[in-house]
């Protein structure tokens, strides 16, 4: 049948505004009345992974971007081509500033 219902997608980890460093897991939940075709993961608009079956998660090396705020976007697409998205912002902090000399 004709499906015009977009899937529900939510980024579960990391939390919006989280301070992250090193290699992290990005995980999302996606639900649809039909079947999820794929869940695509983006950082700052650049696709980093596409996952076609649950669990919808991927690893991201935060050292691939400069420190500061970055947008993680997840798009879920169902088998009829309907899509929905969720996005969060994370604060990447990989540079450790040494304490000042005494």
């Amino acid at each position: 049948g004709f499906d015009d219902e977009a899937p529900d997608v939510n980024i579960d980890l990391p939390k919006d505004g989280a301070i992250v460093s090193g290699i992290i897991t990005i995980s999302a939940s996606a639900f649809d009345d039909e079947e999820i075709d794929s869940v695509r993961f983006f950082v700052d608009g650049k696709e980093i992974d596409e996952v076609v079956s649950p669990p919808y998660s991927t690893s991201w090396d935060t050292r691939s971007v400069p420190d500061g705020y970055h947008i993680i976007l997840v798009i879920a697409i169902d088998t009829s081509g309907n899509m929905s998205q969720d996005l969060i912002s994370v604060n990447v902090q990989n540079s450790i500033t040494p304490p000042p000399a005494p």
Side-chain angles (χ1 to χ4, degrees):
F2 178 73
D3 173 29
D4 59 1
E5 291 286 316
D8 288 321
V9 63
N10 289 293
I11 298 171
D12 300 321
L13 284 172
K15 296 298 181 199
D16 190 28
I19 295 173
V20 296
S21 61
I23 297 172
I24 65 163
T25 297
I26 303 170
S27 63
S29 315
F31 306 97
D32 190 57
D33 58 334
E34 285 200 354
E35 201 174 329
I36 299 289
D37 182 61
S38 67
V39 174
R40 297 166 66 189
F41 294 83
F42 298 80
V43 172
D44 297 337
K46 186 175 128 197
E47 186 168 349
I48 59 166
D49 202 4
E50 180 177 26
V51 180
V52 296
S53 60
Y56 301 112
S57 70
T58 190
S59 294
W60 173 46
D61 187 344
T62 66
R63 295 166 296 190
S64 65
V65 297
D67 282 4
Y69 284 93
H70 296 274
I71 300 294
I72 295 174
L73 168 69
V74 175
I75 297 177
I77 305 164
D78 69 16
T79 49
S80 296
N82 302 304
M83 53 176 76
S84 60
Q85 66 181 38
D86 189 23
L87 63 84
I88 62 167
S89 162
V90 293
N91 185 358
V92 173
Q93 294 296 329
N94 283 309
S95 305
I96 309 250
T97 307

